[in-house]
Structure formats: structure tokens, C-alpha cells
Amino acid sequence: MGYKVLIVESGLFQGSRYVIFAPFRIGRHPENDLQITDPNVSRFHALVEPRGQGLLLRDLGSKNGTFVNGERIREAWLRAGDEVRVGKVRMRLVEEGPSEEDRKKESIMVLTSDPRGRVKAHTIVTGQFSVSTDGLSPEVADQLNRLQAVFQANLMLSAQADLDGVLRRGLEDLMEILRADRGYVLTLDEGTRDLRVRYSLSKPGFDTEGDILVSSRFLDQALREKKGLVIEDTGEEPLLDVPGDHRGPRARCALCVPLVDRDQTLGLLYFDNLVEPGAFSEEDLQLVTAIAAPMAVQMRNIQFRDQLQRAYLDTLSVLANAIEARDHYTVGHTWRVTRFALAMVDRMGCTEEQRRYTQMGGILHDIGKIAVEDSILRKKGPLTKEEYQKMQLHPEHGARILKDVEFLKPVIPYVLFHQERWDGKGYPFGLKKDEVPWEGRLLGVCDAFDAMTSHRPYRRTMSPEEAWEEILKERGKQFDPEMVDLFKEIWETGQVANILQHYAKSELSIACPFCSTHIPLGEKPAEGTFVECPVCGKSSVVMREGRGWKGELAW
């Protein structure tokens, strides 16, 4: 018997392969195992569950349905060769497995004895992801299942690209095996070093919303000694309150293992049983310790990656600020466009990686203007035909600037194609419809809306409502209809207004000196206080100006 693989045959992740040996979620939300960037796909759309009989595909109440071999289903057993469609994305289930020679290499031998003491050898083929325990005693079978759990947990953890995914996967795997009613991942706050509940799971009938009530000495000792501990019976131990809104039931027994990588403690794995004392054994402790180690390594790797990415974004922001400083009339444009774009990809349910590329693409989309002459960039009147032709080169200039930087290559579509049009009348290449990468079509709507609502000395500034009406008029002409519909969603939820902050303009507000966003000061503003712009993130010092207020950039 081989193992089941889901292969994506269309869409953004075409060619991706997913081995299905645990519940596999499909939808727009980033927490899904396969995130599909299609507005027609629900946030949590479908679930593939390994069962004893095979793989069961369930639709999770989606609006537009889940299809198997062209037929809409509520649930269906999948067979090798079946085509699954969610939104516009097609997937196919195949069964794969190692050759007989490889299977023999991946077998193990287990020795057992009968009541008379006679030794019997069992050759067990592990394959890649499953272990057959036929003919073994319950004790040996249990040990093999635990080894398999550690193996699978390592595979799953190494595939997780975000911290919440690592914590969720690790906790789910352990709750499947342990006799625990509740499980928690507690992380140490980097500043205060206080423990906080980051992720929790419970079995039916038990609540994880309340505080964890167990001996404070228990958790302190695990953190101090950096080793796992078991309390077989809490007895009359004093209680520890972990921050929460409600008190929870008292634990009868508990197990705790610290998450440690390179001698740095990142947090704790905690499990308890609320009814049965002595539910956890030394073997359970060893199992949790074995899974805690790769969890901690992956947590640190993600932390290091995030630190590096923040450094990249800070560097890119400096470049964007340098560009905006050359053109007084477009100050703040970069940040508003980026915020619009991020709101749209959040509605699409893009992956964290794609969201990061969108953020970088928004910041850098006008970087090509660095090659445009100041006399053109700062001109107070309309551009001549020749000047406009030079301005039209800025997407190509930007793409050339980025092409040799490996980690910025996924950002190039935002830079190169944001001035293309759905009807083919844009620049630099005159592409139309789906010929324009979706990144350019998305950013094109955001860029145009902000340009219409921004001040220019040679034309009247549109109100947000007027600009939105103009976007609607150009649906299917200048703009991709699906991207306009997506922008409509963030317009109707008030996200556009929150970014523009026009509603905040009053006597008790200041205009951000960097991007012109209106920042409310509250009922009792005070001179010399600092406020942060919600759009560009810059800090300003509040100053008196006659009877009103103004802001000065805090460098």
C-alpha cells in the first residue's frame, strides 16, 4: 500500500504536492494547509480527513461548493485518480509508494517473546509514513505508534512556515496520543519573560478558555532546570494563575516540557487531565520531549527569519522614503497603496509569504522613479507628451533595479505591471486581461484610487466617494473586474476609510507631516506629546499652531 498525494494542477500553486497523512485543510485563510488565493473560495472551504476506510473529503459549508470529478459534493470518499476542484483550482489525488527494494530497506525487526520465553522475530515494513503492527503485543504496538508519531511530527513541523502553524501542528499531534483533556503551548514574552498561552486545544467536554491551575513550583522548576516533569497527582498543591478571563477547573495530574533551543528557553508544552490522576507516564514524558525539541528548533528558525525580514523591510522603507522625499505631491502614496494592497490580499486569504511579497511590492512599486528627472517628477503642471513618455519608463527602470536581487525577484510583477490595464491600453507592454499578472492587476486598483484622492496642483482632488465611483465606471475597462470587486469588499468594511483617515479631520487632529494622514489627538491634546501615524508609522511631535495644532516629524 502506497501513500496518498494531492497534486495541484492549476492556479498559483500549480505543481505543489501534499502528502495526506493528517487532516488537510483547504481555503482562503492562512491557517489552512493549502491556501487558495481566489475570492470565490471560502475562508475554510474543505477538509480531507484520513480515516480507516481511506480519505474522506468534506465541504465545510462553502458558498460556491467543492467538486469531485465535476460533481458538487457535501462529502465523498476519494480514490486515486479523482479530480478535486475548489474555486478555480484543480487538484488530483494519486497514490505513490516506494519500490519493493526500497520497502525492504525501510523495514525494521522487532523481537518479542511468548509466555514460554521463546523469542520471535517480526519484520515490519514501515514504508514512508505508516507502520503495520499486525501480530504484535499491545505494548510493542504502542511503542511503534509512538515512534511513528515522532517521525510524522518531525515531517509536519519541518513543513510549517509560520509560528502558529508549528504550535498548532505540534499540539494536535500530541493530543492525539496522550490521555490529556487539555493541552497548551505557553510562550515566554521576550520583554517581560512572563508566560502567555499562545495556543490551546481540548477534548470534547473540556474548556481551555479558563486559567491553568497547577503548582507554580511545577512550571518554575521546568523552566529553571530546562527539563520535562510529571505530576501524577496535584493533591493540595498551591495554584498558579496564568492570565485569562475566567478560572478553569483544577488539574488532577499534569505534564510539562520546556521548549528549548540552543540553551534558550522559548516556552512550555503543558498537558493536564482534569479527572484521572496518574494519566501520564514516563513514556509520555519522553514522547513529548522528543517532539518538543524539533518544535523549539523550528520556532527559533522562524524567529530568526522574521528578524531578517524585518531588517529587509526597514531597508526597503528607507529606499521608498528617499523616493517620496523627491516628490512633495506624492508623499504618503507608497504607504497608502501598500495598506490597500495588504487589506485586499488578506481578503483573498493569501499565504503569509505572498502577503510579505505584497508588502514589499507596495513599498517598492514606484522605485523606478529614482531614474526619472527631478524636473519631471516635481513639475507643478501637466506633463508634455515627451515628459509623459519618460515617466512611463519607471516600471521598467524599477524592474531592472530589482532583477539581480534574488530575494526581491517575486516582487518584480508588482513593480513592472502596476500601470498595465485590463483593456490593454496601459504601459509598458500594453498587456490585457489575464496577460497581466494578478499582482499588477491588484496594485493597479490601489495605485489609481490613491492617485485620484491625492492632491495635485494641476487638477482637483477627488473625494474618496468620487474616486470609488470612478473605479466602478472603469470596471472591466481599466481595471480587472475581480480586483474591483475585492476592493469593494474592503471599501464596504470601512478599511479604506481607516487608511485614508479623512473622517479624523477636525480641530483636534493633525496632518501627518510625512504622509498627510489625519491623526486624531483625543479630547485633551498636549503640546510635546508624540503620536504615531496609522498609515506610514512615522512618529510626530504635537505642537501648537495659533488656536489649533500641527505635527512635526520626530526624527
Side-chain angles (χ1 to χ4, degrees), residues 270-282:
Y270 169 87
F271 301 89
D272 60 24
N273 188 300
L274 305 181
V275 178
E276 181 184 358
F280 303 118
S281 64
E282 283 298 318

Side-chain angles (χ1 to χ4, degrees), residues 156-166 298 302 305-306 352-353 356:
M156 297 298 289
L157 290 171
S158 63
Q160 298 301 314
D162 64 282
L163 185 56
D164 286 333
V166 169
Q298 191 70 344
I302 290 170
R305 183 204 65 192
D306 290 346
E352 281 300 312
E353 181 180 47
R356 188 167 64 253

Side-chain angles (χ1 to χ4, degrees), residues 285-334:
L285 182 60
Q286 293 170 9
L287 173 67
V288 178
T289 302
I291 292 179
M295 278 186 70
V297 170
Q298 191 70 344
M299 288 171 67
R300 284 291 284 165
N301 288 342
I302 290 170
Q303 288 177 355
F304 288 141
R305 183 204 65 192
D306 290 346
Q307 290 171 5
L308 185 61
Q309 288 170 355
R310 282 195 295 271
Y312 285 152
L313 285 175
D314 288 345
T315 303
L316 300 184
S317 297
V318 170
L319 289 173
N321 291 346
I323 297 165
E324 291 212 335
R326 296 180 61 208
D327 186 358
H328 173 73
Y329 298 111
T330 62
V331 167
H333 169 75
T334 293

Side-chain angles (χ1 to χ4, degrees), residues 119-359:
V119 175
K120 183 178 180 181
H122 302 261
T123 300
I124 299 176
V125 176
T126 63
Q128 269 213 289
F129 300 104
S130 62
V131 177
S132 171
T133 58
D134 294 341
L136 296 178
S137 68
E139 293 79 12
V140 174
D142 181 64
Q143 291 300 318
L144 283 176
N145 287 331
R146 288 168 179 267
L147 287 173
Q148 182 188 4
V150 174
F151 175 66
Q152 290 184 347
N154 273 275
L155 286 174
M156 297 298 289
L157 290 171
S158 63
Q160 298 301 314
D162 64 282
L163 185 56
D164 286 333
V166 169
L167 303 182
R168 173 172 57 85
R169 280 298 187 191
L171 204 56
E172 285 176 351
D173 290 339
L174 288 166
M175 286 293 289
E176 286 289 326
I177 302 164
L178 299 175
R179 290 161 58 194
D181 296 326
R182 306 184 304 177
Y184 298 81
V185 180
L186 299 96
T187 55
L188 281 169
D189 184 271
E190 292 184 11
T192 64
R193 304 302 288 173
D194 291 334
L195 281 173
R196 304 291 182 192
V197 175
R198 181 66 180 265
Y199 195 76
S200 62
L201 282 175
S202 63
K203 291 187 176 176
F206 298 96
D207 185 15
T208 58
E209 295 300 320
D211 297 342
I212 301 172
L213 302 179
V214 74
S215 167
S216 59
R217 295 196 302 273
F218 178 54
L219 298 185
D220 290 343
Q221 183 180 346
L223 287 174
R224 185 176 63 255
E225 298 180 0
K226 297 181 181 179
K227 70 176 184 180
L229 299 170
V230 174
I231 290 184
E232 295 183 356
D233 192 341
T234 56
E236 298 302 322
E237 291 280 354
L239 302 181
L240 168 73
D241 294 342
V242 173
D245 295 330
H246 308 285
R247 285 187 172 274
R250 185 189 183 95
R252 287 303 309 272
C253 65
L255 182 154
C256 179
V257 172
L259 293 160
V260 182
D261 178 54
R262 281 161 277 191
D263 207 40
Q264 180 171 351
T265 304
L266 308 176
L268 293 166
L269 287 173
Y270 169 87
F271 301 89
D272 60 24
N273 188 300
L274 305 181
V275 178
E276 181 184 358
F280 303 118
S281 64
E282 283 298 318
E283 287 78 10
D284 292 328
L285 182 60
Q286 293 170 9
L287 173 67
V288 178
T289 302
I291 292 179
M295 278 186 70
V297 170
Q298 191 70 344
M299 288 171 67
R300 284 291 284 165
N301 288 342
I302 290 170
Q303 288 177 355
F304 288 141
R305 183 204 65 192
D306 290 346
Q307 290 171 5
L308 185 61
Q309 288 170 355
R310 282 195 295 271
Y312 285 152
L313 285 175
D314 288 345
T315 303
L316 300 184
S317 297
V318 170
L319 289 173
N321 291 346
I323 297 165
E324 291 212 335
R326 296 180 61 208
D327 186 358
H328 173 73
Y329 298 111
T330 62
V331 167
H333 169 75
T334 293
W335 309 106
R336 290 187 295 272
V337 169
T338 301
R339 291 284 301 280
F340 293 144
L342 288 175
M344 288 175 71
V345 297
D346 286 344
R347 297 290 293 185
M348 292 169 66
C350 286
T351 63
E352 281 300 312
E353 181 180 47
Q354 194 58 59
R355 189 182 194 279
R356 188 167 64 253
Y357 290 144
T358 300
Q359 184 177 12

Side-chain angles (χ1 to χ4, degrees), residues 376 379 381-392:
I376 297 174
K379 188 174 181 179
L383 300 178
T384 65
K385 182 178 179 180
E386 182 181 358
E387 290 170 337
Y388 185 62
Q389 288 174 341
K390 290 182 178 180
M391 178 66 84
Q392 286 180 318

